[in-house]
Amino acid sequence: MAPSHVLKCCQKVLAWVPVAFIALVVAWSYYAYVVELCVFTISSTVEKVVYLVVFHLSFVMFVWSYGKTIFTSPATPSNEFCLTKLDKEQYEKETRPEIQQDILRRAAKDLPIYTTTASRAIRYCDRCQLIKPDRCHHCSACDVCVLKMDHHCPWVNNCVGFSNYKFFLLFLMYSLLYCLFVAATVLQYFIKFWTNELPDTHAKFHVLFLFFVAAMFFISILSLFSYHCWLVGKNRSTIETFRAPTFRNGPDKNGFSLGCSKNLREVFGDEKKYWLLPIFTSLGDGCTFPTRLVIMDPEQLAVSSQNEPAKSSVTTRPLSESQNRLLSGDCQWVETGPEEENVKSGAKKHIIVSLES
């Protein structure tokens, strides 16, 4: 027991090594730029002031967003997704998978869940002992189920998911701008030191190395930031890109996509004035998400048609406030086929959202 505890402590300490490395590089870059370049190398006062003001603006936003990404705890499912004590006891005692699935289906019948496993089973986490909401996955590093999990990032020692995905995107953007500004402003002095136009001083090493580090990080971050911008436009997580979520009509990588502008608002919120600030403005609760296609069971349609025979609309689960906003405007519910024929034939009812291009 003791060795296992010591091993876990060592793993937790080692997990902070990449973060400490980034922190040291950032601290050195601050010293190299402010002291060695601006104070000791640049002679023009106007140039110094302009460089220092822009540098500190990008530096503050970069550090702020990086800190929020690191220290924002991953969002976890609410208690409604946990099994009751009775269901949990029955599930643990039962050894037959089909009976276990019956227990999970009974527990999940009133939950806002539209995705399943590839084998059409209820997504259940044995470790956390809860039914997974849509887009939720268990992180082995954090040992929790994370809402809208994208990936576990060792450079922030945290899971990137619903609670901090906006912060992660801003961290990539501001680090990109930070590296670009440093590399662009250092370039002329890099050339002067390289061609011996400036005298050899202790600042030469810092300026030369600063340019190489900034350029290297800019190139590596650019590809990652571009990839995540594409993911936001498609409303996908990294996990969903490699393993499409399975709805009742089958796997669909675009199942949660509502169009580029609505996908953007789902991550950054409705108020554009907060988009560039690392404060939480994402829409929804992380447990439920508006989808392109929601499929109703024939039994639900039969009950709906008996209760309201005069109405042609289908009763669906109420959407959250954020979902109603995302589906408002140019979205429209369109039914496929007469209700009576679908109920008699046992076919499933499709409710399709007409999306913006």
Side-chain angles (χ1 to χ4, degrees):
M1 190 69 181
S4 176
H5 180 70
V6 172
L7 181 61
K8 287 183 179 180
C9 290
C10 292
Q11 288 176 340
K12 288 182 178 180
V13 172
L14 291 175
W16 285 101
V17 171
V19 178
F21 172 76
I22 294 296
L24 289 174
V25 170
V26 172
W28 168 80
S29 69
Y30 182 89
Y31 166 80
Y33 192 90
V34 173
V35 178
E36 299 294 344
L37 178 68
C38 293
V39 175
F40 293 135
T41 304
I42 299 177
S43 57
S44 172
T45 304
V46 176
E47 188 178 2
K48 284 183 181 180
V49 172
V50 173
Y51 280 9
L52 286 173
V53 170
V54 178
F55 173 82
H56 279 91
L57 284 175
S58 60
F59 180 81
V60 168
M61 296 307 296
F62 162 58
V63 173
W64 185 9
S65 56
Y66 186 47
K68 292 285 285 185
T69 307
I70 295 173
F71 297 110
T72 300
S73 300
T76 55
S78 57
N79 292 332
E80 66 175 326
F81 292 91
C82 297
L83 295 181
T84 62
K85 185 177 180 180
L86 179 60
D87 287 339
K88 190 182 297 183
E89 290 176 353
Q90 291 178 348
Y91 181 85
E92 291 174 349
K93 290 179 181 178
E94 187 58 57
T95 57
R96 292 168 294 178
E98 61 275 10
I99 304 301
Q100 287 182 328
Q101 276 299 304
D102 289 338
I103 296 172
L104 294 179
R105 288 192 187 95
R106 185 173 65 250
K109 65 179 180 179
D110 294 324
L111 295 177
I113 296 176
Y114 298 108
T115 59
T116 63
T117 65
S119 59
R120 307 292 183 175
I122 299 295
R123 299 171 65 245
Y124 180 74
C125 179
D126 291 305
R127 183 76 175 177
C128 298
Q129 296 185 327
L130 54 80
I131 296 172
K132 295 179 184 178
D134 293 341
R135 317 185 82 175
C136 175
H137 300 274
H138 185 86
C139 175
S140 57
C142 298
D143 198 27
V144 292
C145 283
V146 180
L147 296 179
K148 197 186 176 183
M149 179 178 173
D150 187 88
H151 68 287
H152 183 89
C153 181
W155 298 108
V156 300
N157 190 28
N158 199 3
C159 259
V160 177
F162 175 75
S163 62
N164 63 349
Y165 189 58
K166 177 190 174 183
F167 307 148
F168 178 73
L169 290 172
L170 291 179
F171 155 62
L172 293 179
M173 184 185 74
Y174 286 122
S175 60
L176 197 67
L177 294 176
Y178 178 76
C179 293
L180 177 62
F181 175 77
V182 170
T185 53
V186 168
L187 178 60
Q188 61 172 318
Y189 297 97
F190 169 84
I191 296 174
K192 289 179 180 180
F193 274 121
W194 193 265
T195 57
N196 296 318
E197 292 183 29
L198 291 175
D200 286 342
T201 62
H202 60 281
K204 180 176 182 178
F205 165 78
H206 292 282
V207 172
L208 294 177
F209 197 58
L210 185 62
F211 175 78
F212 281 120
V213 172
M216 179 186 67
F217 274 96
F218 173 80
I219 294 172
S220 60
I221 294 172
L222 179 61
S223 59
L224 184 60
F225 179 65
S226 302
Y227 174 67
H228 278 279
C229 287
W230 178 79
L231 288 179
V232 171
K234 296 292 185 179
N235 203 340
R236 297 179 196 168
S237 66
T238 301
I239 295 176
E240 290 166 351
T241 301
F242 293 98
R243 187 171 66 246
T246 302
F247 296 84
R248 294 183 183 177
N249 60 322
D252 186 359
K253 286 186 176 181
N254 297 316
F256 294 105
S257 180
L258 305 174
C260 188
S261 64
K262 287 182 171 60
N263 295 340
L264 195 65
R265 285 167 52 197
E266 190 172 305
V267 175
F268 289 93
D270 288 326
E271 300 188 62
K272 294 182 179 180
K273 60 183 179 181
Y274 297 124
W275 280 13
L276 298 181
L277 295 177
I279 56 177
F280 185 80
T281 55
S282 300
L283 299 181
D285 56 4
C287 293
T288 57
F289 297 91
T291 62
R292 294 170 60 93
L293 181 63
V294 179
I295 305 178
M296 300 289 290
D297 287 326
E299 293 81 5
Q300 291 175 301
L301 290 173
V303 173
S304 176
S305 62
Q306 290 174 4
N307 293 338
E308 297 180 359
K311 295 183 179 180
S312 61
S313 61
V314 179
T315 303
T316 60
R317 186 184 306 279
L319 295 172
S320 66
E321 181 183 354
S322 63
Q323 291 173 324
N324 281 321
R325 291 206 301 274
L326 286 171
L327 292 176
S328 62
D330 56 337
C331 292
Q332 180 181 2
W333 295 101
V334 181
E335 297 184 8
T336 59
E339 180 179 343
E340 296 80 10
E341 292 180 6
N342 282 344
V343 175
K344 290 179 181 179
S345 62
K348 292 187 176 180
K349 187 74 173 181
H350 292 258
I351 303 175
I352 301 174
V353 180
S354 177
L355 303 171
E356 60 184 18
S357 58

